[in-house]
Amino acid sequence: MHLRVCRPSVPLGLLFVGRASLDKEPHEVAAMFDGVAEKYDLTNTVLAFGQDRVWRRRTREALNLEAGERVLDLAAGTGVSTLELARSGATAIGADFSVGMLRVGRKARPSVPLVAADALALPFADGSFDAVTISFGLRNIVDPAAALREMARVTRPGGRLVVCEFSHPVVAPFRTVYLRYLMGALPAVARRVASNPDAYVYLAESIQAWPDQAGLAGVVQSAGWAKVAWRNLTGGVVALHRGIKP
Ligand SMILES: C[S@@+](CC[C@H](N)C(=O)[O-])C[C@H]1O[C@@H](n2cnc3c(N)ncnc32)[C@H](O)[C@@H]1O
């Protein structure tokens, strides 16, 4: 749940300030995740005070999955988000381009189907999923709008999208405390538990550079999704954006 990649070339003129320290090529993103893969699941839960489990459950609920449906979990990493989706009874398929994350995931969760795939060129036919979702991944993709379009392509008409991503706390005093945690305590804790602590500096910086709730809703809509709306979790630390494939 980290490493937002900012590129000045991101379409729609949106919100992203191209910060050199956050610029990454796709192979650098994959390599960075390879580097954190081993301790990824544990580090997340520690840094999020266990809230990640609640956010994943809320994501599954927002998708309204039914047994027999097919759901794509994009940027699935170690499959922790995919496993939560499978609890619905739907067939949940995880896709990611970090071989390191997939390797850890296949070992830890052998029952979860994990496919090596680039979010910008998915190896799936048009309309082949009833629902698509991405948890803490969109921020890391070099072209988030292109990924949202690709997600729309593989979703059937009437299918659902849910994006679970860090966002911006809505109440000012809480926002101040949260930013202090993000820029101070979080990198310090990461130094103790993470296999690549530098990656968690990116986490903090990338969250700050990410669009707010309304901004991301605009990106989702421009990428071809209808009925776009969002819901804040934990006061806006995370937001769930949803949409329908027209
Ligand atoms: C922070 S992890 C999220 C993992 C998981 N969804 C979760 O909830 O913990 C972000 C993932 O995005 C993946 N990613 C980034 N860009 C990608 C791309 N273009 N195609 C596929 N996966 C990508 C990374 O490899 C990484 O595993």
Side-chain angles (χ1 to χ4, degrees):
M1 56 212 214
H2 40 277
L3 310 174
R4 149 96 169 90
V5 177
C6 286
R7 304 191 68 145
S9 59
V10 169
L12 310 171
L14 28 114
L15 337 137
F16 305 136
V17 185
R19 296 184 53 185
S21 66
L22 292 173
D23 274 343
K24 291 251 176 285
E25 293 298 322
H27 71 274
E28 294 174 308
V29 176
M32 196 146 35
F33 279 101
D34 290 346
V36 298
E38 209 57 57
K39 291 189 179 171
Y40 175 81
D41 292 347
L42 171 69
T43 309
N44 274 350
T45 300
V46 170
L47 295 179
F49 304 106
Q51 282 300 296
D52 55 323
R53 297 191 178 120
V54 178
W55 300 332
R56 293 182 202 293
R57 192 165 68 240
R58 295 282 177 261
T59 301
R60 170 173 57 75
E61 291 166 357
L63 281 159
N64 272 326
L65 295 166
E66 288 176 17
E69 287 193 315
R70 272 167 57 85
V71 57
L72 172 65
D73 182 27
L74 192 56
T78 60
V80 59
S81 44
T82 322
L83 184 64
E84 176 63 38
L85 299 174
R87 292 189 211 285
S88 65
T91 300
I93 295 159
D96 200 285
F97 76 170
S98 159
V99 174
M101 294 287 271
L102 292 172
R103 193 182 304 125
V104 170
R106 284 182 183 134
K107 201 167 155 202
R109 305 180 179 88
S111 66
V112 174
L114 291 173
V115 177
D118 184 349
L120 304 180
L122 292 172
F124 303 112
D126 294 0
S128 49
F129 289 94
D130 299 291
V132 290
T133 185
I134 183 164
S135 295
F136 310 109
L138 195 60
R139 190 172 28 87
N140 302 302
I141 293 176
V142 294
D143 190 341
L148 286 163
R149 287 195 295 273
E150 186 64 349
M151 291 169 87
R153 180 186 68 75
V154 301
T155 305
R156 66 161 170 82
R160 293 95 67 199
L161 163 78
V162 172
V163 176
C164 172
E165 189 51 87
F166 287 114
S167 198
H168 297 267
V170 285
V171 177
F174 177 52
R175 190 162 55 233
T176 306
V177 173
Y178 172 70
L179 284 177
R180 257 185 223 141
Y181 169 69
L182 207 57
M183 300 312 287
L186 184 143
V189 175
R191 269 193 286 280
R192 299 183 74 90
V193 291
S195 41
N196 176 8
D198 286 349
Y200 289 85
V201 175
Y202 280 95
L203 166 63
E205 293 188 349
S206 68
I207 290 172
Q208 286 205 73
W210 188 242
D212 66 9
Q213 288 83 336
L216 183 58
V219 179
V220 174
Q221 195 167 336
S222 302
W225 294 93
K227 297 187 181 169
V228 176
W230 73 86
R231 172 193 173 188
N232 290 317
L233 302 179
T234 318
V237 169
V238 165
L240 296 185
H241 283 73
R242 58 183 190 276
I244 300 289
K245 165 81 178 280

